[in-house]
Amino acid sequence: MEKRTIHFIKIGLKMLGIFLLVWWAWYVLDGSEKAEQRAIQTAKDYVHQTYPDPTLHVTDVMYLSLYDPKYHIRMASDTSIDTDFTVRVTRSGKIVDDSYEEDVVSKFNTYTRIQEAYDRAVQDALRLAFSGRISLMSELPYLQWDENKDEVNKIDLDDLEVDQVTGLSFYGARYGILFARVGSKSYTYEEVADLLRELKWEADDRNIRFHSIKLQVTIDGVERYTEDIFYDDIDSPDFVDHLERRLNN
């Protein structure tokens, strides 16, 4: 009888240990409603004390438990489209840091908004016109911290203003890059030149500005790639020769 009692006690302790382990794993991986509410309130109090915009409010809460067991509280403003950042809070309700400087003050949010608007404009204007012939992507490259602004033709985030208008024509003409992947069939240089002239004409007609094209295409059975096909090059009477040199460089 005593051995059986000890056996049941051991089984009970094992089950309790398993329960506690499962509960701990659930708490770590999924958090808890109480901890989440505590993190949200902590983030609200912190933001309203730290930043002047009274319209800042919570728009999303993520608990990234697997590699960063903290609550990521996303804050946004009703009056500033570019004021959107994240506050990190521990389960116990302590502020770790926030991304206000990184996202808002740096103008990275502003840049991202302009870049996304430019890509939407390119896709909306040109995707259907070249469906099945050219796959298009676009970019407005920005200046990295370690690049010399006098040598690189990229957007300097310091020149942007939070909540400024997108100015797609200006930024597209000065910095816009179209990534053009021409369909899988094989082309001649003359055919590719005509296709790029058509692309430029359609872009001009739809008020889509760009600075240069990066091109991937199959010429005479060989896949080729080149960068820096500039807008002004395309209407040149020597464009076919120029294109051939670029694709064979």
Side-chain angles (χ1 to χ4, degrees):
M1 179 66 70
E2 184 177 348
K3 289 183 178 180
R4 181 176 297 180
T5 302
I6 294 174
H7 175 70
F8 284 136
I9 291 174
K10 288 182 178 179
I11 292 176
L13 289 174
K14 287 182 180 179
M15 293 180 65
L16 178 62
I18 292 172
F19 170 79
L20 291 174
L21 180 62
V22 170
W23 178 85
W24 177 83
W26 169 81
Y27 181 77
V28 169
L29 296 177
D30 195 49
S32 70
E33 183 175 351
K34 183 177 180 180
E36 179 176 314
Q37 292 305 314
R38 179 169 55 232
I40 291 172
Q41 189 59 52
T42 299
K44 286 180 177 179
D45 294 342
Y46 166 77
V47 166
H48 291 153
Q49 292 172 9
T50 307
Y51 301 112
D53 187 344
T55 70
L56 285 166
H57 61 280
V58 176
T59 61
D60 190 27
V61 180
M62 293 186 296
Y63 181 67
L64 304 181
S65 55
L66 291 178
Y67 59 91
D68 185 19
K70 298 175 182 64
Y71 288 95
H72 291 230
I73 316 295
R74 184 174 176 183
M75 309 293 297
S77 169
D78 288 332
T79 58
S80 170
I81 191 172
D82 293 331
T83 301
D84 188 319
F85 61 99
T86 299
V87 180
R88 290 199 304 158
V89 187
T90 66
R91 289 197 303 270
S92 62
K94 293 183 179 180
I95 297 293
V96 178
D97 55 26
D98 70 69
S99 64
Y100 186 85
E101 291 281 337
E102 177 184 348
D103 294 338
V104 182
V105 177
S106 72
K107 322 299 177 40
F108 188 74
N109 282 353
T110 306
Y111 160 77
T112 300
R113 176 171 55 84
I114 295 172
Q115 160 66 38
E116 291 175 350
Y118 181 68
D119 188 60
R120 283 196 303 272
V122 168
Q123 296 299 327
D124 291 346
L126 301 176
R127 181 178 61 247
L128 291 180
F130 293 95
S131 177
R133 293 188 294 163
I134 303 178
S135 298
L136 281 172
M137 297 176 62
S138 65
E139 180 189 8
L140 295 171
Y142 72 95
L143 195 68
Q144 302 287 346
W145 67 271
D146 58 346
E147 293 177 320
N148 186 336
K149 66 177 66 179
D150 295 328
E151 298 178 359
V152 182
N153 190 50
K154 297 181 180 180
I155 295 175
D156 186 349
L157 300 189
D158 289 339
D159 293 336
L160 300 179
E161 297 293 336
V162 173
D163 298 330
Q164 72 173 58
V165 296
T166 53
L168 297 186
S169 292
F170 172 81
Y171 288 109
R174 182 166 292 191
Y175 307 108
I177 298 174
L178 301 184
F179 296 85
R181 185 180 183 277
V182 180
S184 57
K185 79 169 192 175
S186 186
Y187 292 78
T188 64
Y189 293 105
E190 290 78 9
E191 290 172 333
V192 175
D194 288 341
L195 191 57
L196 294 182
R197 291 190 186 105
E198 183 184 352
L199 175 61
K200 178 181 178 296
W201 186 89
E202 293 284 356
D204 288 345
D205 187 58
R206 291 164 171 78
N207 199 32
I208 299 297
R209 304 296 177 224
F210 65 91
H211 173 262
S212 64
I213 293 175
K214 294 182 179 180
L215 176 66
Q216 181 178 341
V217 63
T218 300
I219 302 285
D220 297 331
V222 179
E223 188 171 283
R224 302 175 187 274
Y225 173 82
T226 187
E227 300 182 0
D228 295 336
I229 298 175
F230 296 109
Y231 177 90
D232 292 335
D233 294 335
I234 297 175
D235 287 333
S236 166
D238 300 321
F239 182 52
V240 175
D241 292 336
H242 174 75
L243 185 63
E244 184 172 356
R245 287 194 299 272
R246 295 294 307 172
L247 288 168
N248 285 282
N249 190 357

